[in-house]
């Protein structure tokens, strides 16, 4: 049956708004768990003087679990729509906390030169400051090189946490050297990106875009 010109038009039901993800979702829980692992990892690393192979193996296990949860919480948050403000803030804090604890702890124990720890931590702090410096104009995206750097750092620090000798000890030194090179290289790349984004942002403001 056709409707007359005065008949009301059929309307489609408006889909219900999707509620934002809550704080207690699986991605955030994994991030919180990683934060809780930081003091556990530190305690295991320094247990019994800090050089007992058994305790260092336990410390490595805690560090490995933290690195694995770092992969899964981000993937789950993106794939399941669980991205929250808490996750955006807590996830990088957890990453830097576990990595910084490992680097500083290993240097305190005399297993890793302080200059290596200083270079890596200075780069991480510098990139964080750069992001805030240009956030008014753009967001610096995570690069593939940055992700490879993070993976290499995790493997290198994990190898240093274990008590290794012979070729494995040589291998971890090589891995850490690669991590340092990637740390500096990707840091310079982020600096170039930040300068370009800021310059382009200022130019847009002047044009009134």
């Amino acid at each position: 049956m056709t409707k007359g010109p005065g008949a009301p038009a059929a309307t489609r039901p408006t889909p219900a708004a999707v509620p934002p993800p809550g704080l207690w979702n699986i991605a955030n829980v994994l991030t919180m768990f990683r934060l809780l692992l930081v003091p556990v990892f530190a305690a295991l690393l320094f247990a019994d003087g800090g050089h007992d192979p058994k305790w260092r193996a336990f410390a490595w296990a805690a560090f490995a679990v933290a690195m694995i949860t770092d992969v899964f919480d981000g993937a789950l948050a993106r794939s399941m729509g669980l991205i929250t403000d808490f996750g955006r803030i807590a996830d990088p804090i957890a990453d830097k906390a576990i990595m910084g604890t490992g680097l500083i702890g290993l240097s305190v124990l005399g297993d890793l030169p302080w200059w290596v720890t200083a270079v890596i931590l200075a780069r991480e702090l510098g990139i964080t400051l750069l992001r805030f410096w240009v956030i008014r104009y753009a967001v610096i995206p995570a690069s593939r090189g940055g992700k490879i750097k993070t993976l290499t750092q995790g493997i290198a620090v994990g190898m240093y946490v274990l008590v290794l000798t012979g070729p494995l000890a040589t291998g971890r030194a090589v891995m850490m050297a690669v991590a340092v090179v990637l740390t500096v290289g990707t840091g310079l790349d982020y600096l170039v990106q930040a300068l370009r984004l800021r310059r382009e942002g200022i130019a847009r403001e002047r044009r009134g875009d």
Side-chain angles (χ1 to χ4, degrees):
M1 180 176 65
T2 58
K3 295 183 179 180
T11 57
R12 294 182 180 178
T14 303
V18 178
L23 174 65
W24 294 100
N25 62 64
I26 182 62
N28 284 348
V29 168
L30 287 175
T31 299
M32 295 176 197
F33 176 66
R34 193 158 76 256
L35 282 168
L36 292 175
L37 274 178
V38 174
V40 174
F41 167 60
L44 292 171
L45 183 62
F46 285 98
D48 200 17
H51 295 286
D52 186 300
K54 177 185 66 178
W55 288 111
R56 292 287 285 263
F58 287 138
W60 176 87
F63 182 81
V65 170
M67 292 294 100
I68 292 171
T69 59
D70 179 33
V71 174
F72 280 103
D73 63 359
L76 288 172
R78 289 187 295 270
S79 64
M80 300 175 65
L82 300 176
I83 298 175
T84 63
D85 290 338
F86 172 83
R88 290 190 183 98
I89 297 171
D91 184 68
I93 290 176
D95 297 344
K96 290 175 175 55
I98 195 74
M99 186 63 68
T101 298
L103 290 166
I104 293 172
L106 289 168
S107 292
V108 168
L109 292 171
D111 295 331
L112 186 67
W114 273 106
W115 71 264
V116 173
T117 295
V119 167
I120 294 176
L121 294 184
R123 185 267 190 197
E124 298 303 327
L125 176 60
I127 296 304
T128 300
L129 295 176
L130 278 177
R131 290 185 187 277
F132 281 110
W133 188 53
V134 302
I135 196 170
R136 174 181 174 184
Y137 307 104
V139 175
I140 303 177
S143 67
R144 179 173 297 181
K147 294 177 181 178
I148 295 174
K149 177 270 306 178
T150 300
L151 176 63
T152 307
Q153 283 182 0
I155 294 173
V157 171
M159 292 179 73
Y160 268 87
V161 170
L162 291 170
V163 177
L164 302 177
T165 57
L168 288 176
T170 302
R172 72 181 180 184
V174 172
M175 183 62 69
M176 184 59 77
V178 172
V180 170
V181 171
L182 289 174
T183 296
V184 174
T186 55
L188 293 174
D189 180 61
Y190 277 119
L191 175 60
V192 171
Q193 287 190 60
L195 293 172
R196 176 178 57 80
L197 290 172
R198 184 174 173 84
R199 184 173 62 251
E200 292 174 351
I202 293 173
R204 285 195 301 270
E205 283 189 342
R206 289 175 177 173
R207 293 195 307 266
D209 294 351

